[in-house]
Amino acid sequence: MLYIKCPFCGMRSQNEFAYGGDASVKRPELNKDVSDKEWDDFVYNRKSLRGKHIELWHHVSGCRQWFKAQRDTATHEIFKTAMMNEEI
Amino acid sequence: MNSISSLKNVHKLGLYGDHNDKNENQIIKIKEIKNINLFQVVKYKNTEKNISNFKIDGLNLPNANKTSSNPSTRIIWMGPDNWFVFSSKDTRENLNNFKETDFAITDLSHSRSIIELEGEMIYEVLKKGSPLDVGKLKEGNCANTVYNGITITLDFISNDPNTIRIFGLRSFGESLYHSLTDSCLEFGYKSI
């Protein structure tokens, strides 16, 4: 089981969290022509890296806040967590 | 206020579990808390109001994982800029200075099932279903967590005797009650 440090509540069990996917994905700009490939990349295509990865987590059974976590996808080690308006 | 109990079909008064040869202080007491006003106070992100200037029934809005209380009102932290206010009084009067341009105030009085556990062994009961490190938490703390998969809020009322209030969504109330009472059987419990 993972232990994740919520930036608001502190160290909690993974049971309280929901995984939210890759945090580096950027939505295409509003009011701009967007190609099918750009939409595909935004909605579906992920790199699925092995190693350090920045991802979104939701403390769904806690403070209900979204935050960013830097996690190693091979070892599951979590290096850092940060609020959404912070850089990681 | 006179609300309809969410636990009236399951909360039957009496002694249950391993209570034989034990005195009242050695078993767990379970009580339903009802007829209490509950308001959610949320500060909008775009407001510049400083929460330290706001009081409810003379109480400050508490910081993360903390509560503040007096005999009639209790405020618990639910998340950043988000609090629950429990009061036996009509809380609306106390919330008059919370302008709707800065705060969202919602009456949730009928939305929760509230179960109070009292007794020496209640921390053991929590450990059976929750991954939270409850040993570190004391009177004046609160936490949102899960109990056998049900999202709950814990409010640590007292350490002498150990007393905890557990809030769950009303529709999960009966399941939560069954989960808690199953965990209490080993220690013996009294429904009051």
Side-chain angles (χ1 to χ4, degrees):
Chain A
M1 180 186 292
L2 289 178
Y3 281 91
I4 302 171
K5 188 178 180 187
C6 168
F8 304 96
C9 303
M11 199 63 91
R12 297 297 182 90
S13 158
Q14 185 194 344
N15 294 11
E16 296 182 12
F17 297 87
Y19 177 68
D22 188 341
S24 62
V25 176
K26 293 267 188 297
R27 192 185 196 285
E29 273 180 50
L30 286 174
N31 304 322
K32 188 190 145 195
D33 284 337
V34 181
S35 67
D36 287 349
K37 182 176 182 318
E38 279 177 294
W39 271 121
D40 268 359
D41 287 345
F42 169 62
V43 178
Y44 300 112
N45 298 332
R46 298 291 180 265
K47 286 177 186 155
S48 195
L49 298 171
R50 179 184 169 87
K52 277 190 182 179
H53 187 232
I54 296 175
E55 41 197 39
L56 294 171
W57 284 83
H58 186 207
H59 197 184
V60 67
S61 292
C63 59
R64 313 259 158 97
Q65 300 297 302
W66 286 90
F67 62 92
K68 291 187 259 189
Q70 188 184 50
R71 182 176 69 95
D72 191 311
T73 55
T75 64
H76 299 303
E77 183 181 354
I78 293 174
F79 302 97
K80 203 177 171 189
T81 55
M83 296 181 204
M84 291 301 287
N85 58 0
E86 290 176 342
E87 285 301 318
I88 210 164
Chain B
M1 108 182 259
N2 195 6
S3 63
I4 298 168
S5 162
S6 60
L7 301 176
K8 69 176 176 4
N9 294 323
V10 289
H11 184 63
K12 307 290 183 200
L13 307 191
L15 283 160
Y16 301 92
D18 186 15
H19 62 84
N20 293 324
D21 305 324
K22 290 180 179 171
N23 68 38
E24 285 255 320
N25 296 327
Q26 290 171 307
I27 60 172
I28 292 167
K29 295 183 188 75
I30 298 186
K31 187 162 69 173
E32 184 192 5
I33 306 292
K34 51 189 178 180
N35 300 330
I36 195 162
N37 289 300
L38 164 59
F39 282 82
Q40 184 189 38
V41 177
V42 179
K43 191 181 92 163
Y44 291 136
K45 281 182 182 163
N46 56 3
T47 180
E48 290 174 2
K49 295 279 190 250
N50 185 350
I51 57 152
S52 58
N53 299 329
F54 288 87
K55 291 195 177 208
I56 301 170
D57 200 12
L59 298 169
N60 287 318
L61 296 169
N63 293 325
N65 302 321
K66 299 280 179 199
T67 63
S68 54
S69 66
N70 64 27
S72 59
T73 303
R74 192 163 183 90
I75 308 174
I76 65 178
W77 182 88
M78 291 296 287
D81 295 330
N82 188 340
W83 298 269
F84 271 7
V85 181
F86 296 89
S87 187
S88 50
K89 291 183 191 172
D90 187 356
T91 323
R92 259 171 267 236
E93 287 169 28
N94 287 305
L95 295 170
N96 281 344
N97 57 339
F98 287 76
K99 298 228 162 58
E100 61 185 25
T101 49
D102 303 312
F103 294 92
I105 311 281
T106 314
D107 185 349
L108 298 176
S109 302
H110 304 273
S111 74
R112 294 291 191 279
S113 292
I114 309 176
I115 300 165
E116 187 175 286
L117 300 184
E118 184 189 310
E120 249 178 73
M121 305 307 286
I122 57 174
Y123 281 64
E124 301 307 314
V125 172
L126 291 178
K127 285 176 196 171
K128 285 190 184 186
S130 171
L132 188 69
D133 187 2
V134 288
K136 286 182 183 165
L137 299 168
K138 295 189 170 61
E139 182 178 334
N141 288 137
C142 63
N144 293 310
T145 184
V146 287
Y147 195 85
N148 291 341
I150 301 170
T151 297
I152 56 163
T153 301
L154 296 172
D155 181 5
F156 293 77
I157 304 270
S158 162
N159 284 123
D160 188 26
N162 285 340
T163 310
I164 293 174
R165 278 186 192 167
I166 301 165
F167 311 93
L169 282 172
R170 188 186 176 94
S171 52
F172 288 85
E174 290 191 4
S175 293
L176 178 61
Y177 187 87
H178 286 308
S179 273
L180 287 167
T181 49
D182 280 354
S183 301
C184 288
L185 285 171
E186 175 189 344
F187 310 109
Y189 72 91
K190 184 180 185 184
S191 293
I192 52 176

